[in-house]
């Protein structure tokens, strides 16, 4: 049923519920001298390339491949449109390896036709901190699908990860593979309901008019929480303390240091936005929220070509009620012209989704670990990891 995945060190479907299997690495690390030194073989017409995402021409090639061939919804109405700046952010965190940004070209024309990436991350799994690769942006050109190119790309990224003496990975996918450690659902909060209905992202509810719908989703003009402001560089130490303490309670979550927080949480225009609550009295930062910007191309609509979406990232509330903090995030997103605010049902998100008028999406996001077994799948509320 899964001729490739059955050969890989991942939890297999026939092991589900087998509580005799130990939690932890499935295979022991090998001496680096035993890691294959040369790349895997591609079909004859293709060659490997390393994509230097810092270079404008290389970033444009990757952008074009993904914007035309990356993930679409089940009905092929929308396709993720990651910006070049977003890709640079996603692919160059502290300690990144440029040789983990892997492309495949046609030998003759040099056209880029496939891509896969990994970045390093420290992930806490239960009580252990495991150095992992986060694998993302696996993409094969539409004309080259179903030729078993993906397994070769996955083996090649695995080889390059092993060469850095890293033996575990985390990744998410919309498809079911052996075997999810958890399955989350996306929820959507309309900010611009008229456009969302026009482009087919949402439908007018039963017994609802457009004007009633617009009223339903109306938000206040200004944020409500006193001391709510954009995060600045000087907030990095306090935000790091807040996020570390918060993420420690989940079964799988990143283990951020200040460099990670500066990279992943500090605002970057049109890529990631973060707001803190600084107490007007004590000037202590007590809460923060963040979201990233990932537009989708609208594939078949003559009025609109881009859906501007915000995705909930990491949110920590110690003093402000989480609902109020997230309502302020919605207000900011609306003010900045986002059409929709998306969030997964992980961490404590379930506690605000319904109240803040998010609706459940179709389609699920499955979380996976490579070469690390968990005995039981996790509830989304036990997950503290958001991948891009
Ligand atoms: C997928 N998304 O099951 P079996 S998510 C992993 N992730 O293998 P072919 C996938 N595996 O079942 P195609 C996968 N999708 O026979 C398919 N597969 O064992 C498996 N779509 O290969 C599939 N991007 O080349 C099957 O399929 C085998 O031509 C079939 O290519 C697949 O980035 C794909 O959704 C996804 O571009 C490239 O459909 C193509 O269809 C495509 O014949 C649109 O492949 C874009 C899209 C996926 C987004 C993502 C996470 C990827 C994780 C990869 C696994 C990483 C493992 C850890 C490595 C490091 C280890 C260490 C240490
Ligand atoms: Mg293929």
């Amino acid at each position: 049923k899964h001729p490739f995945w059955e050969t890989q060190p991942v939890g297999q479907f026939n092991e589900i519920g087998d509580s005799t299997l130990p939690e932890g690495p499935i295979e022991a690390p090998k001496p680096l001298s035993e890691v294959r030194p040369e790349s895997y073989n591609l079909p004859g017409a293709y060659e490997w390339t390393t994509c230097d995402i810092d270079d404008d021409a290389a970033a444009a090639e990757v952008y074009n491949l993904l914007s035309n061939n990356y993930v679409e919804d089940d009905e092929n109405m929308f396709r993720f449109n990651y910006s070049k700046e977003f890709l640079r952010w996603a692919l160059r965190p502290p300690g990144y390896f440029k040789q983990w940004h892997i492309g495949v070209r046609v030998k003759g024309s040099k056209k880029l036709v496939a891509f896969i990436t990994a970045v390093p991350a420290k992930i806490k799994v239960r009580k252990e901190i495991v150095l992992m690769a986060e694998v993302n942006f696996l993409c094969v050109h539409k004309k080259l699908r179903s030729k078993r190119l993906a397994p070769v790309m996955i083996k090649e990224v695995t080889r390059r990860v092993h060469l850095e003496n890293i033996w575990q990975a985390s990744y998410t996918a919309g498809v079911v593979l052996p075997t999810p450690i958890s399955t989350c659902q996306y929820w959507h909060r309309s900010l611009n309901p008229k456009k969302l209905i026009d482009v087919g992202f949402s439908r007018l509810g039963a017994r609802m008019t457009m004007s009633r719908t617009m009223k339903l989703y109306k938000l206040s003009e200004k944020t409500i929480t006193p001391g709510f402001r954009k995060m600045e560089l000087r907030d990095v130490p306090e935000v790091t303390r807040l996020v570390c303490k918060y993420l420690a309670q989940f079964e799988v979550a990143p283990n951020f240091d200040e460099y990670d927080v500066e990279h992943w949480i500090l605002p970057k225009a049109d890529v990631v936005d973060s707001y803190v609550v600084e107490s007007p009295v004590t000037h202590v930062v007590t809460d923060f929220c963040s979201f990233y910007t990932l537009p989708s191309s609208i594939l078949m609509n003559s009025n609109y070509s881009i859906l501007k979406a915000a995705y909930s990232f990491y949110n920590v509330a110690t003093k402000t009620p989480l609902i109020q903090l997230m309502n302020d995030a919605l207000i900011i997103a609306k003010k900045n012209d986002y059409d929709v605010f998306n969030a997964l049902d992980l961490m404590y998100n379930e506690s605000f989704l319904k109240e803040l008028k998010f609706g459940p999406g179709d389609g699920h996001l499955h979380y996976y670990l490579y070469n690390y077994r968990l005995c039981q799948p996790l509830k989304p509320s036990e997950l503290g990891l958001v991948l891009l």
Side-chain angles (χ1 to χ4, degrees), residues 1-6 69-72 116 133 135-141 144-151 154 157-158 161-162 166-178 370:
K1 187 110 189 306
H2 288 288
F4 169 66
W5 281 109
E6 280 164 17
N69 301 277
Y70 199 51
V71 176
E72 299 180 7
I116 190 169
V135 180
N136 202 351
F137 304 114
L138 168 60
C139 182
V140 169
H141 193 286
L144 297 177
R145 297 276 169 89
S146 305
K147 297 176 187 297
R148 312 299 299 182
L149 219 48
I154 294 167
V157 77
T158 301
V161 169
H162 286 169
I166 296 176
W167 303 87
Q168 271 73 36
S170 52
Y171 50 103
T172 56
V175 294
V176 178
L177 305 163
Y370 184 95

Side-chain angles (χ1 to χ4, degrees), residues 33-52:
S33 59
E34 287 172 31
V35 179
R36 186 190 221 257
E38 71 278 3
S39 290
Y40 282 91
N41 295 322
L42 284 166
Y46 304 101
E47 63 189 22
W48 297 108
T49 186
T50 295
C51 298
D52 176 4

Side-chain angles (χ1 to χ4, degrees), residues 4-5 7-11 24-27 130-133 135 154-155 157-159 161-162 166-171 178-179 181 367-373:
F4 169 66
W5 281 109
T7 69
Q8 297 299 298
V10 292
I26 297 168
E27 288 179 356
V130 184
L131 190 51
M132 292 198 190
V135 180
I154 294 167
K155 283 192 280 187
V157 77
T158 301
R159 188 185 72 81
V161 169
H162 286 169
I166 296 176
W167 303 87
Q168 271 73 36
S170 52
Y171 50 103
T179 297
I181 59 154
Y367 276 72
Y368 300 94
L369 296 178
Y370 184 95
N371 194 26
Y372 204 98
R373 183 189 293 111

